Amino acid sequence: MRYLITVLSIVLLPQILAASEVNVYTSRHYDSDAALYSEFTDLTDIKVNIISGKGPALIERIKSEGVNSRADIFFTVDAGNLWKVQKEGLFQGIKSKNVLTTVPENLRGPNNEWTAIAKRARVVFYNPQRVSQKEIIDLAYEDLADAAWKNRVVIRSSSNMYNQSLVAALISNIGLERTEKWAKGLVENFARKPQGNDRSQIMAVANGEADLAVANSYYFGVMLSGSAGEQQQEAAKKVRVLFPNQKSRGVHINISGAGILKHSPNSENGNRFLEFLLSPKVQKYMVDRSYEYPILEEILPSPEIAGLGLGFKEDDISVKKFGELNPEAIRLMDRSGWK
Ligand code: FE
């Protein structure tokens, strides 16, 4: 009998152990996520292994690992990136009822192959010393192409996915022709050639190099919190944030999100992990550190972000469109001379 138990445990134990883990491939660049993962282990006894890296490198790795891949979850930013992974056939459908009822349909991928975990708005940062209230009242993205903003706008390059998704949303909302005309007008209004990341656009507005910048909302929180240094904190204090298109369809919303990989060896744990990320406590923990907006309506964003105002209007376009229209958006930006 004892012999049998020993044999059984030698045979079965590795399987039991192997089943109690989840392997998360992540391109999110937030250190704070690590602390979350140990909380999941405390709660479920499922060990979380983090493999972090740049999105494209992780995708290449998952592809080359093929059916032998240990990856259960791919976690990244921007619906455009999640769409690309889905198009490569690397995801399976999320099965958790909990996830599917928590996350609105417009924030999930086709066949539920990925889901939003948090939201971000692509907002306008302006310098109140150089922009009057009258100029920006009821501002829409469309207005950024007006001659009134000549040499006053900064935005990063067209190779950036955040901008590609913004343009894809515009194509869907106002049509290809109007969006192209808009992009050409916007390029005319650039205060400088696109350079740097979202944060450097905000810095340019703070130091008077430009009057308006388009950048993601969470950078305001990161900068204002002081965690990125005094210089950025001072810059954040000098700028104001505006949510465009409040009189029309609402501000452009993008997501960070995740999906379960097709060859996931622990897909059940993967579903549980996604449920965990969407639970109230974790949503609060996450947005307090990433400065994103929560998916759960009852959760408040961080104080820095809440200070920008709550209850603004969000464009409820399906984020799937950003992927679907991505090639069209890239071609359009190219034709418009957006470097
Ligand atoms: Fe970012």
Side-chain angles (χ1 to χ4, degrees):
M1 186 64 186
R2 184 178 292 168
Y3 171 77
L4 186 66
I5 290 170
T6 310
V7 169
L8 277 178
S9 54
I10 289 168
V11 174
L12 293 176
L13 205 60
Q15 289 184 27
I16 294 164
L17 286 178
S20 61
E21 65 173 12
V22 64
N23 300 304
V24 181
Y25 285 38
T26 177
S27 78
R28 276 169 57 98
H29 46 84
Y30 313 111
D31 304 334
S32 56
D33 290 355
L36 279 180
Y37 304 143
S38 61
E39 169 120 13
F40 181 68
T41 307
D42 291 346
L43 227 76
T44 60
D45 268 338
I46 298 169
K47 187 174 176 240
V48 184
N49 302 311
I50 301 296
I51 293 89
S52 55
K54 296 242 185 242
L58 288 176
I59 293 166
E60 277 318 304
R61 176 163 168 186
I62 292 164
K63 273 161 62 181
S64 69
E65 288 169 346
V67 293
N68 299 316
S69 179
R70 304 292 304 161
D72 297 306
I73 299 254
F74 182 62
F75 196 2
T76 192
V77 298
D78 206 296
N81 289 323
L82 289 158
W83 173 275
K84 279 189 181 170
V85 179
Q86 174 163 16
K87 239 190 130 192
E88 302 258 17
L90 297 176
F91 281 143
Q92 59 173 279
I94 294 163
K95 289 182 187 71
S96 162
K97 286 243 158 52
N98 192 315
V99 170
L100 301 181
T101 51
T102 300
V103 182
E105 212 266 327
N106 66 309
L107 302 179
R108 286 185 258 130
N111 317 315
N112 299 319
E113 290 191 24
W114 41 272
T115 177
I117 299 296
K119 298 185 284 190
R120 56 273 304 282
R122 199 142 178 81
V123 295
V124 165
F125 293 78
Y126 67 95
N127 188 327
Q129 309 271 323
R130 300 164 60 106
V131 176
S132 72
Q133 209 48 40
K134 212 175 126 201
E135 276 185 297
I136 44 131
I137 195 157
D138 299 335
L139 188 91
Y141 297 108
E142 289 89 323
D143 300 329
L144 298 177
D146 289 354
W149 297 107
K150 194 157 180 69
N151 301 325
R152 299 174 73 188
V153 183
V154 281
I155 188 165
R156 68 200 286 185
S157 86
S158 60
S159 65
N160 168 250
M161 184 61 89
Y162 304 154
N163 283 338
Q164 292 169 10
S165 291
L166 175 66
V167 171
L170 276 162
I171 293 172
S172 180
N173 282 321
I174 65 172
L176 190 70
E177 219 171 289
R178 274 184 68 197
T179 306
E180 184 158 349
K181 209 175 154 217
W182 170 82
K184 284 178 176 152
L186 178 67
V187 169
E188 285 288 309
N189 290 342
F190 285 174
R192 64 178 191 191
K193 261 212 254 161
Q195 55 189 268
N197 54 19
D198 269 13
R199 258 187 259 200
S200 52
Q201 317 308 314
I202 302 168
M203 296 297 283
V205 167
N207 65 33
E209 243 184 282
D211 297 349
L212 287 189
V214 178
N216 282 352
S217 49
Y218 53 87
Y219 289 111
F220 180 75
V222 175
M223 291 169 73
L224 190 66
S225 73
S227 63
E230 214 174 301
Q231 200 191 359
Q232 290 194 18
Q233 190 175 34
E234 287 310 308
K237 287 179 188 163
K238 285 187 191 152
V239 300
R240 299 285 176 272
V241 172
L242 179 134
F243 295 84
N245 294 72
Q246 292 305 293
K247 285 278 155 76
S248 54
R249 62 187 175 272
V251 64
H252 174 70
I253 296 292
N254 207 323
I255 60 168
S256 22
I260 298 170
L261 294 151
K262 191 171 193 170
H263 301 298
S264 157
N266 314 290
S267 62
E268 213 166 295
N269 292 350
N271 275 281
R272 284 182 76 181
F273 187 73
L274 295 181
E275 287 176 7
F276 169 77
L277 292 178
L278 288 158
S279 64
K281 197 176 154 196
V282 175
Q283 284 272 295
K284 184 62 190 151
Y285 182 93
M286 221 166 43
V287 298
D288 273 345
R289 287 157 184 81
S290 70
Y291 304 97
E292 292 170 288
Y293 289 100
I295 299 298
L296 301 180
E297 274 173 27
E298 70 266 30
I299 301 297
L300 284 177
S302 74
E304 292 86 346
I305 293 299
L308 298 175
L310 298 163
F312 54 85
K313 192 170 177 187
E314 300 179 10
D315 185 358
D316 63 2
I317 181 178
S318 171
V319 296
K320 300 177 190 84
K321 292 267 180 211
F322 308 165
E324 216 174 276
L325 292 168
N326 178 271
E328 197 80 76
I330 292 173
R331 285 195 294 270
L332 184 150
M333 292 161 103
D334 197 45
R335 289 196 299 274
S336 310
W338 187 337
K339 296 292 179 209

